[in-house]
Amino acid sequence: MLKQYIKNQQLRLILGFLAGLLVYVLLIIFLVNSEAKSSQSSLTTYGNAIWYSVVTLTTVGYGELYPTTVYGRIVGYIFVLTSLGIYGLLIGQITSIMATIKENKKLGYNGMNYKDHAIIIGWNDFSRMVAEQLLGVGKKVAIVTDKRQHVDFINEKYEEKNLFTLYNDFKNLDMLKKIRIQDSSIVFVNLEDDTEKLVYILNLRKIYPDLDFVVTLDNGDLKNTFLSAGVSNTISKHEISSKLLASYMFEPDVALYSEDIMSIAKADTDYDIKQFLVTSSNPYVNQAYQDVFFDLKRKYNSVLIGITKRDKYGKRRLIKNPLGELKIIPGDYLLIILNGKAFKLLKKVFNVEEGYFKEKTGTE
């Protein structure tokens, strides 16, 4: 739709220019032919006529050339009156162009250059809470909405350099190149109902087969259907809320602790669960899991609660608090409960930011 509008505008501009040029040429010809009948006129050549039209249309008006015949003066009146409209037209066009540029930037049509960012398709209160959590841990976020009023709200509320908004019809998948969807780490599809989410994901995977998706389901029975469609993670809103509510009813302290570590740590004393990629420079490479467990507790007062490894098929597998002499190798992810102070220290020690980094292998 946007491309067609731009093409139409360009076509109108070209046709308008050609029509104006044709009228201008006809007026010059008419002026020269009219002035040729007067022995006192100096506008008998096309060079002089063009020069006279230029100085008149630009309101310079040197006065050394002027028409002497009735018809020549009529042409002169046309040039004088046209000069007034030209400036108004130019000012209007410049204002329109500047407004269009500003509006296109606001709506996200100029694109951005994020990488390994999170994308949220669809905006509502739940999307807002997810975006705030992601922004709170320094994650870059791109939001796609089909409601114009959402763009104004998001831009006013979040003046974040890590947040980008695209106004787009959800059916226009080609526009998602503006948010570099192919370079994203995860795509959260948050449309109105589960069927709409499934159809959207299937259509999107035809174009971008290597994307990682996460969805929240209203109907938990559809979990296997979404996993078969290539969704990396599915979450049932009702399942999570019911488990947390039941926990509050018979073990409130556990529920309180669970809720606390699921949210972002805002202070050095707040605790959170962080996920760190193990790189070749990590000091714990090739060490046993249990040795790393005790070292992290002793040095950083942090608790290693699990590790993610890839199996022989390349699939990520979460191992919770493993036993034995499990070795830590590059490419693993360490899951650690820690406070804000320890988090700052471990980022420097591990030399890596928190979170999952998508591998450009096409496998997951």
Side-chain angles (χ1 to χ4, degrees), residues 47-114:
N48 284 347
I50 292 173
W51 173 253
Y52 165 73
S53 68
V54 170
V55 297
T56 303
L57 289 171
T58 56
T59 69
V60 174
Y62 290 118
E64 81 278 23
L65 298 175
Y66 54 88
T68 59
T69 66
V70 173
Y71 291 114
R73 288 174 180 173
I74 291 175
V75 174
Y77 290 141
I78 293 174
F79 284 148
V80 170
L81 294 175
T82 302
S83 68
L84 299 177
I86 286 178
Y87 280 101
L89 180 63
L90 287 175
I91 293 172
Q93 286 295 321
I94 293 173
T95 302
S96 177
I97 291 171
M98 296 300 294
T100 301
I101 292 173
K102 184 178 180 180
E103 183 71 2
N104 286 345
K105 181 179 180 181
K106 185 177 183 179
L107 298 179
Y109 296 153
N110 294 341
M112 48 76 157
N113 58 357
Y114 290 174

